Amino acid sequence: MDLKKTTLNYQPAISEAIRRVLDSGWYILGEEGKAFEKEFATYCGCRHCIGTGNGLDALTVLLTACRILYHWDEMTQVIVPAHTFIATVESIVRSGLTPILCDVDADDSLIDPQQVESCISPRTRAIVCVHLYGKIAPITSLNTIAQKNGLLLLEDAAQAHGAIHPSGNKAGHLGHGAAFSFYPTKNLGALGDGGAITTDNQSLADLCRQLANYGQTEKYHHLHKGMNTRLDEIQAAILRTRLKSLDKENTHRQSIARQYMDCISHPDIRMPYKGVFPQDSVWHIFPIYSPRRNELQRYLAHHNIDTLIHYPVPPHLQPAFQEYSHLSFPCTEQICQEELSLPLNPLMTNQETEYIIQTINRFPC
């Protein structure tokens, strides 16, 4: 993704937004941040949005607020998919809680509800579902499980800005609370780090806002041990500018993904979602799977097609989480060995998409 090209596509609006902040003389917790929070909450269909410094902080603050509000302790368990970016697991640990890793479904790489039920113990208090690659997790089944067992359902929506569930609700408004990242390559990206929490729960929103601002209830009065994680005014102004085009860009992403789904045909490549085009994905990433993944990646690089792997090493096999290294998650581990992410961004042309498809289909068997 050419971030310079992407940014130039928003000019002069981005420069005007930055100039507006510079001229205001107010750079933290000002009017741009308040306006973005209101606009993004409305976009997601939520009552509250709290800006943070990044997505990891957003999920950490959300979980920490739940820990305080519902009187959880360090023995409290939170179920999380084994296949996710490591930040999802890190946020649980940073919040003073215990992550319980759960394998994913081999067909969609999303948390497997049947596996979730087998992970529930008397100490389980929440499920964190991840809308991985831009597709909404199996939220209906997860909500049923959560309600039956008295659990909170939280969303890691860092890759799913604007994704719409068949119910009509968007990512960020499908559970008790949600966390977003605005890392520059996200569907809704800033020109630096940024994040947000969305929720309908007034008490949870108030506590999240306090925790994100040093635990203050009012200036210099600190009820909780908080953090310093605020969405700064320049990033908020840029996000306000980009939010106006998010649905249009997501539609273009879906168009590219449909071309991939319809036209890639190679015996050594498996398409995502059993080859059925999902209506609830905004395609932050387009994953394909192949037992010859590394060979395929080298072949595409030789033809000037850049790809990435999301993710080559699962959290339980990372040195940072060696206490989980004895565990086995077969579907997660297979995905990590076979997944390859194809180029997909709002500025891609039909010519570029067709070149990628033709090149993949010519990959030697």
Side-chain angles (χ1 to χ4, degrees), residues 8 22 34-35 49 75 84 141 151 200 209-210 227 238 250 256 261 263 308 337 358 361 365:
L8 288 173
L22 296 178
K34 293 175 184 176
C49 173
M75 301 300 290
T84 183
S141 297
L151 309 177
D200 279 339
R209 194 173 298 281
Q210 293 168 16
M227 301 169 59
I238 291 167
N250 282 343
I256 295 167
M261 295 280 280
C263 300
L308 287 173
Q337 292 169 5
Q358 292 168 6
N361 287 340
C365 293

Side-chain angles (χ1 to χ4, degrees), residues 204-266:
L204 184 61
D206 291 344
L207 186 50
C208 285
R209 194 173 298 281
Q210 293 168 16
L211 290 171
N213 190 27
Y214 298 103
Q216 293 185 135
T217 51
E218 57 182 295
K219 196 170 182 65
Y220 303 131
H221 293 267
H222 306 264
L223 183 60
H224 304 286
K225 298 180 179 71
M227 301 169 59
N228 172 21
T229 177
R230 289 86 59 99
L231 181 65
D232 72 66
E233 289 291 281
I234 287 179
Q235 301 302 346
I238 291 167
L239 289 167
R240 292 183 69 196
T241 300
R242 291 203 59 185
L243 181 60
K244 298 171 185 176
S245 301
L246 178 57
D247 287 342
K248 179 181 178 181
E249 292 189 355
N250 282 343
T251 298
H252 186 58
R253 286 177 177 271
Q254 290 165 339
S255 175
I256 295 167
R258 188 175 288 279
Q259 285 182 265
Y260 281 155
M261 295 280 280
D262 289 345
C263 300
I264 292 176
S265 57
H266 192 287

Side-chain angles (χ1 to χ4, degrees), residues 85-140:
F85 182 53
I86 199 168
T88 316
V89 184
E90 286 180 328
S91 67
I92 299 171
V93 175
R94 291 178 72 201
S95 305
L97 305 168
T98 301
I100 301 297
L101 304 181
C102 173
D103 210 354
V104 297
D105 187 292
D107 292 323
D108 61 16
S109 303
L110 300 170
I111 194 167
D112 184 344
Q114 290 185 342
Q115 298 282 342
V116 168
E117 289 200 275
S118 68
C119 290
I120 295 173
S121 80
R123 293 185 295 189
T124 306
R125 295 293 179 271
I127 303 165
V128 174
C129 66
V130 180
H131 305 317
L132 196 68
Y133 304 151
K135 186 180 187 305
I136 290 176
I139 209 77
T140 302

Side-chain angles (χ1 to χ4, degrees), residues 165-211:
H165 186 261
S167 66
N169 290 334
K170 287 182 179 175
H173 193 212
L174 296 168
H176 198 70
F180 287 87
S181 166
F182 303 125
Y183 185 75
T185 59
K186 302 297 187 185
N187 291 40
L188 179 60
L191 294 189
D193 277 319
I197 298 159
T198 56
T199 183
D200 279 339
N201 185 305
Q202 181 74 58
S203 298
L204 184 61
D206 291 344
L207 186 50
C208 285
R209 194 173 298 281
Q210 293 168 16
L211 290 171

Side-chain angles (χ1 to χ4, degrees), residues 16-34 51-53 193 213 228-238:
E16 291 170 356
I18 293 172
R19 173 56 61 184
R20 189 168 69 241
V21 175
L22 296 178
D23 290 345
S24 76
W26 196 296
Y27 308 128
I28 296 287
L29 298 178
E31 294 305 314
E32 292 289 343
K34 293 175 184 176
T52 64
D193 277 319
N213 190 27
N228 172 21
T229 177
R230 289 86 59 99
L231 181 65
D232 72 66
E233 289 291 281
I234 287 179
Q235 301 302 346
I238 291 167

Side-chain angles (χ1 to χ4, degrees), residues 291-309 340 359 363-364:
R292 300 170 59 200
R293 187 263 310 280
N294 295 343
E295 182 184 351
L296 174 60
Q297 186 175 41
R298 290 192 296 270
Y299 164 81
L300 293 175
H302 179 72
H303 289 83
N304 299 312
I305 299 171
D306 289 334
T307 58
L308 287 173
I309 298 169
L340 189 65
T359 304
F363 178 47

